[in-house]
Amino acid sequence: GVESKLPLPFVRRDRESGLTPAMRFGVHDFALSASLTARLEDGARGARVTLNVLVQAALGILLSRYTGSCDVVFGAVTSGRPPELSGAETMAGLLINTLPVRMKPNPAQTVREMLQQLQQDNLQLRAHEYAALSDVRNWSDVAAGETLFDIIYVFENYPLGDVYAETATLPVAKAWAVGHQHNPLTIAVVPNKEMGLYFSFDEYYYEAATIERLFAHLTRVLEALAQDPSRRIADIDILAP
């Protein structure tokens, strides 16, 4: 099982005096081009996986490169009413949970093989999406008092931007559902015509320039995944122009 959480990449060392964790959060949002977004959608369809899985794979590959670890864990926000949860149909409100996604990027695997494996892992995760995160942590080998992950990933299944653009009297250029977690970094994906990526970061750990670099590297990986599904994971260069 998981024995320790993944270390945060590129943590800042020059902090303001008096700044403490979870004291102040910054936000940075980006948008991929319409052409890249379309290629990602086509790539996901070609590999028979969801767009969510493709972006998760890119994040997992990037974190593996940053940390040098082939065992990557980050949190993923889930929502739904699984039939395994007794009484779910009578519960009011959104059933939202955050569960660990564990990836083991194999450099010898092709992009297609990795995506299909992650798709199967996601399907298995859905069977447990009602499990309490505290219970999942207790089932792991992580030391008592330590969290499973510091990075949370959110895939917005409801594209608010398109809805507002179609129904609002005034044109809406951008729409975000803003909320801060207590973890150092949250990455939210909004699948519009120009896919949006929203970064919420604890300024104790990160500064805006680092977040811009994270986005640039994540974009490189996404481009590589969309370009050639037969490419080996080892051949993806996060620094390629």
Side-chain angles (χ1 to χ4, degrees), residues 167-191:
T167 61
T169 303
L170 295 175
V172 177
K174 189 179 296 183
W176 296 99
V178 178
H180 296 300
Q181 307 285 343
H182 293 295
N183 57 293
L185 179 62
T186 298
I187 303 173
V189 178
V190 182

Side-chain angles (χ1 to χ4, degrees), residues 223-235:
E223 288 172 339
L225 296 185
Q227 184 178 29
D228 183 6
S230 64
R231 176 188 306 212
R232 294 189 315 145
I233 303 301
D235 296 332

Side-chain angles (χ1 to χ4, degrees), residues 88-130:
E89 69 281 357
T90 65
M91 296 179 183
L94 297 173
L95 300 185
I96 296 177
N97 197 7
T98 303
L99 292 176
V101 171
R102 188 179 189 184
M103 293 177 56
K104 295 185 177 181
N106 181 347
Q109 273 187 317
T110 66
V111 168
R112 180 180 288 107
E113 290 169 342
M114 180 183 185
L115 291 175
Q116 292 175 346
Q117 178 62 55
L118 185 57
Q119 177 94 333
Q120 291 303 312
D121 293 345
N122 270 248
L123 291 174
Q124 293 177 13
L125 184 66
R126 289 188 64 85
H128 305 283
E129 62 186 4
Y130 60 89

Side-chain angles (χ1 to χ4, degrees), residues 153-202:
Y153 166 86
V154 185
F155 188 86
E156 297 285 356
N157 287 311
Y158 194 71
L160 296 175
D162 284 348
V163 172
Y164 289 146
E166 292 171 1
T167 61
T169 303
L170 295 175
V172 177
K174 189 179 296 183
W176 296 99
V178 178
H180 296 300
Q181 307 285 343
H182 293 295
N183 57 293
L185 179 62
T186 298
I187 303 173
V189 178
V190 182
N192 291 324
K193 293 178 181 177
E194 295 182 344
M195 180 188 290
L197 286 97
Y198 168 94
F199 290 72
S200 170
F201 56 97
D202 188 337

Side-chain angles (χ1 to χ4, degrees), residues 19-154:
L19 189 63
T20 59
M23 180 178 179
R24 190 172 69 209
F25 283 85
V27 294
H28 216 326
D29 58 88
F30 306 89
L32 301 181
S33 68
S35 61
L36 176 54
T37 301
R39 284 188 281 124
L40 292 171
E41 292 171 344
D42 289 343
R45 280 192 294 269
R48 297 177 183 248
V49 301
T50 64
L51 186 60
N52 179 23
V53 163
L54 190 147
V55 182
Q56 276 191 21
L59 178 59
I61 292 170
L62 187 62
L63 293 177
S64 177
R65 295 291 178 86
Y66 281 164
T67 62
S69 174
C70 288
D71 194 353
V72 172
V73 178
F74 55 88
V77 174
T78 67
S79 64
R81 296 176 184 272
E84 297 86 359
L85 180 58
S86 178
E89 69 281 357
T90 65
M91 296 179 183
L94 297 173
L95 300 185
I96 296 177
N97 197 7
T98 303
L99 292 176
V101 171
R102 188 179 189 184
M103 293 177 56
K104 295 185 177 181
N106 181 347
Q109 273 187 317
T110 66
V111 168
R112 180 180 288 107
E113 290 169 342
M114 180 183 185
L115 291 175
Q116 292 175 346
Q117 178 62 55
L118 185 57
Q119 177 94 333
Q120 291 303 312
D121 293 345
N122 270 248
L123 291 174
Q124 293 177 13
L125 184 66
R126 289 188 64 85
H128 305 283
E129 62 186 4
Y130 60 89
L133 182 57
S134 57
D135 289 338
V136 177
R137 199 212 67 79
N138 290 335
W139 297 333
S140 74
D141 295 324
V142 171
E146 186 174 354
T147 58
L148 281 170
F149 44 76
D150 283 330
I151 298 173
I152 290 180
Y153 166 86
V154 185

